[in-house]
Amino acid sequence: MEYFDLNDGNRIPKLGFGTYKLNGSAGSFAIQSALNLGYRLLDSAVNYENEGAVGAAIKRSHVSRDAIFVTSKLPGRDHEYQKAVNQIQESLFSAGLDYFDLYLIHWPNPKEDKYVEAWQALVDAQKWGLIKSIGVSNFEPEHIEKIYRETNILPAVNQVELHPYWSSSAIRQFDDKHQIITEAWSPLQRGGEAFNEPLINQLAQKYHKSPAQIILRWETQLNVIPIPKATSVSHQLSNLDIFDFKLTPEEVKKITALDQIDSRRFDPHEHEEF
């Protein structure tokens, strides 16, 4: 596995494993399979209701805890400072872990406007050793600027919607400028329309790869961390097998140019999640 350096001195794998809807025993065994095959970044959230399944997979795998990068996320209902502190602790209890490698604010919920309180809780939890790195999810530049003004601390990671039809260019530029690593949720675009895109299929033929592998490689070459989910061993292995080839700069630009104005699923200025 290859790694990116974070702005706080830690490092993060260049490819993650998404755990959304991987619940119960079946979900936990799928996560355990991913670890055993070579994934080292697990992405969870309180609202996925599977922190316990993630923790069980870690305990059953043959991979040592210090080699696994575990992420979870704070829900909108817990943005008040003390609620956020309590939830971070509960998340650790649920997962059976002593610390998280990364903890994110799941959505800014700007209409509620309590995300600065939540960020201060993450800042303090990092000082207490409960979290190694802290970050945000679905934050626009103005949301990040606000938490920085209030705390003088930038997130290490910003996880956003990103796929060939929505490359999040403005956010990526902002994140890059401030040494924030961008992660991609829905990196293969739910529904899989991008798998039928002629350009992506041409590149798949050229490099003898699948459309999914072309997309994931494009994202890593944008210095973005994709976190695809896969339940089958074959798809888990395929998604990992992206570091033995490289797209040309022109090919990266062509995929990025596939952006479509209306392809974003949620606008963080409007969407709220609790």
Side-chain angles (χ1 to χ4, degrees):
M1 180 59 67
E2 297 181 7
Y3 290 78
F4 287 122
D5 292 323
L6 295 173
N7 61 17
D8 59 9
N10 295 319
R11 65 175 197 162
I12 186 171
K14 287 188 177 181
L15 178 72
F17 184 76
T19 69
Y20 179 58
K21 291 190 175 180
L22 294 182
N23 306 82
S25 294
S28 187
F29 279 112
I31 297 164
Q32 181 185 351
S33 168
L35 286 172
N36 291 340
L37 292 173
Y39 289 89
R40 293 295 177 264
L41 191 168
L42 301 178
D43 182 80
S44 182
V46 172
N47 278 351
Y48 297 173
E49 299 181 338
N50 69 353
E51 290 168 320
V54 169
I58 291 169
K59 286 184 175 66
R60 287 197 305 261
S61 80
H62 61 66
V63 184
S64 64
R65 169 65 185 95
D66 60 4
I68 305 171
F69 194 99
V70 187
T71 303
S72 196
K73 308 183 195 76
L74 182 76
R77 61 184 176 275
D78 293 321
H79 277 195
E80 291 177 19
Y81 178 84
Q82 193 56 51
K83 286 184 177 181
V85 169
N86 292 345
Q87 183 55 67
I88 293 165
Q89 295 168 342
E90 285 294 338
S91 288
L92 287 170
F93 295 150
S94 296
L97 301 175
D98 295 325
Y99 65 91
F100 284 111
D101 297 272
L102 178 65
Y103 205 81
L104 310 176
I105 301 174
H106 206 156
W107 287 86
N109 289 13
K111 295 175 186 176
E112 297 291 314
D113 198 21
K114 295 178 181 177
Y115 60 90
V116 173
E117 279 190 65
W119 183 244
Q120 186 61 61
L122 267 63
V123 169
D124 290 344
Q126 184 181 37
K127 291 176 183 175
W128 302 331
L130 301 179
I131 307 167
K132 299 273 190 180
S133 294
I134 56 177
V136 294
S137 180
N138 301 298
F139 271 48
E140 295 289 302
E142 62 263 36
H143 304 139
I144 294 175
E145 288 171 340
K146 184 173 181 178
I147 62 174
Y148 182 67
R149 283 197 306 271
E150 296 290 334
T151 66
N152 205 36
I153 294 176
L154 284 167
V157 169
N158 185 17
Q159 185 181 120
V160 298
E161 180 180 1
L162 195 152
H163 48 73
Y165 295 141
W166 184 262
S167 69
S168 290
S169 58
I171 291 171
R172 283 190 293 105
Q173 289 172 23
F174 177 89
D175 289 350
D176 288 348
K177 181 180 178 182
H178 295 86
Q179 296 182 302
I180 300 168
I181 292 292
T182 305
E183 282 187 330
W185 63 260
S186 196
L188 299 175
Q189 191 204 25
R190 291 174 191 171
E193 286 178 52
F195 290 173
N196 299 318
E197 183 64 42
L199 170 63
I200 290 171
N201 278 278
Q202 289 166 15
L203 293 172
Q205 291 179 6
K206 174 182 175 180
Y207 290 103
H208 305 289
K209 293 289 183 179
S210 70
Q213 289 170 321
I214 295 297
I215 293 169
L216 295 173
R217 189 59 174 139
W218 163 70
E219 286 158 345
T220 64
Q221 287 185 230
L222 290 177
N223 292 327
V224 168
I225 299 172
I227 44 173
K229 182 186 79 172
T231 54
S232 73
V233 170
S234 62
H235 284 160
Q236 289 178 356
L237 283 170
S238 177
N239 290 345
L240 269 179
D241 186 24
I242 63 168
F243 295 108
D244 61 349
F245 76 105
K246 196 168 185 178
L247 301 168
T248 68
E250 186 61 31
E251 289 165 347
V252 170
K253 288 180 182 177
K254 285 181 178 179
I255 297 176
T256 306
L258 295 174
D259 265 357
Q260 297 176 3
I261 294 174
D262 297 325
S263 63
R264 192 184 204 183
R265 296 183 67 222
F266 301 109
D267 181 354
H269 295 102
E270 300 295 329
H271 180 76
E272 298 203 314
E273 200 164 292
F274 297 94

